[in-house]
Amino acid sequence: MTKRGKKYRKALNNIKTNEMYSPREAVELAKENSTANFDETMEIHIRMGIDPRKADQQVRSSVLLPHGLGKSVRVLAFVEGEGARIAEQAGADFISDQETIQKIKDGWSDFDAAIAVPEMMGTVGSLGKILGPRGLMPNPKLGSVTLELDKVIKSIKAGQVEFRAEKAGIIHAGLGRVSFGENDILLNIASFIESVKKARPTGTKGQYLKKISIGSTMGPSLKIDLSSIDEASK
């Protein structure tokens, strides 16, 4: 059993672990019970009604949060020639070269997102086993394999979040900072949930969103009443 610190246990005493909260109530309590000495991330966890072992039940997409993430996003661009100049001007933090590719093979992953132009995917493909499990592999379905470098890089920097259901059928994502205004967090939550709904795979039957919880990085999670999730957008 994980041993929790005093601050966590104190925060846990301020909530009812078996109660279902509206998104607004959950955000209020998460903010009130944030006791870390840094600006914690507001997190969402969604248990999906899918079988992730089946190819037609994979959930993966992206969303541009209306109020961003509240942090600097480091972008690596797999580009060459003129593409390197465009990517750098758009704000890419790293431009790939042979040395960078070797660093990745040696374990370097000091970036949050990666994009690539189509002609570089032959090279990027050799890194699939490294980048894939970390959620950093450029993917044409998510728009991260593109010729629109300027647009995509700026979107990522502005707060675009990629999400996917892991092997246990759960989606985890950060949706801003505890210091954000309550309404800003709620709008980010609403946009995220709406994007997850739109990403529903064709092979899914029955209840798609089974459980949702919200909480800060270091605080306890609060269970959300599924009948109230539309409230987040109001």
Side-chain angles (χ1 to χ4, degrees):
M1 182 180 292
T2 303
K3 186 176 181 179
R4 300 291 190 177
K6 291 182 179 179
K7 291 183 178 179
Y8 181 93
R9 295 199 300 271
K10 183 179 179 180
L12 196 61
N13 289 332
N14 295 329
I15 69 170
K16 298 177 182 178
T17 55
N18 293 322
E19 185 166 326
M20 295 292 180
Y21 294 91
S22 71
R24 187 171 294 277
E25 290 171 333
V27 169
E28 287 176 354
L29 284 169
K31 287 170 69 67
E32 288 173 7
N33 290 289
S34 173
T35 56
N37 57 3
F38 62 91
D39 194 5
E40 298 179 56
T41 297
M42 290 295 294
E43 300 177 349
I44 188 168
H45 311 280
I46 306 177
R47 180 174 292 279
M48 312 295 294
I50 61 172
D51 184 347
R53 297 170 299 178
K54 297 182 179 180
D56 64 348
Q57 294 192 39
Q58 301 297 307
V59 177
R60 186 173 186 181
S61 188
S62 64
V63 55
L64 181 59
L65 299 178
H67 293 283
L69 289 167
K71 69 175 185 177
S72 176
V73 180
R74 299 161 298 176
V75 179
L76 168 64
F78 289 96
V79 290
E80 290 180 324
E82 179 65 7
R85 183 190 66 79
I86 295 172
E88 189 170 11
Q89 288 186 346
D93 300 272
F94 307 102
I95 305 297
S96 70
D97 53 23
Q98 288 303 315
E99 182 180 348
T100 303
I101 291 170
Q102 187 56 52
K103 281 173 61 178
I104 293 172
K105 290 180 178 179
D106 292 338
W108 178 75
S109 61
D110 195 21
F111 53 97
D112 305 298
I115 69 165
V117 290
E119 58 266 30
M120 287 293 292
M121 286 306 292
T123 300
V124 179
S126 65
L127 304 173
K129 291 184 179 180
I130 301 171
L131 298 180
R134 298 173 183 173
L136 294 172
M137 186 67 179
N139 186 319
K141 293 182 179 179
L142 299 177
S144 50
V145 178
T146 181
L147 293 174
E148 297 183 293
L149 297 171
D150 183 79
K151 176 183 176 181
V152 173
I153 291 171
K154 288 180 178 178
S155 290
I156 293 172
K157 289 281 189 177
Q160 179 173 293
V161 175
E162 291 187 5
F163 60 85
R164 64 174 177 174
E166 60 180 30
K167 291 181 179 179
I170 302 174
I171 292 175
H172 304 280
L175 299 181
R177 298 292 189 178
V178 167
S179 61
F180 281 20
E182 183 180 299
N183 287 333
D184 291 349
I185 295 172
L186 286 168
L187 284 172
N188 276 357
I189 291 171
S191 294
F192 187 83
I193 292 175
E194 185 61 27
S195 293
V196 173
K197 288 181 178 178
K198 289 179 179 178
R200 179 171 185 151
T202 56
T204 305
K205 297 180 180 179
Q207 187 176 358
Y208 180 52
L209 306 181
K210 300 193 77 172
K211 293 181 181 179
I212 299 177
S213 60
I214 294 171
S216 63
T217 306
M218 304 300 291
S221 293
L222 298 107
K223 299 174 183 177
I224 301 301
D225 179 359
L226 295 182
S227 67
S228 71
I229 56 175
D230 289 339
E231 177 206 310
S233 62
K234 296 179 181 178

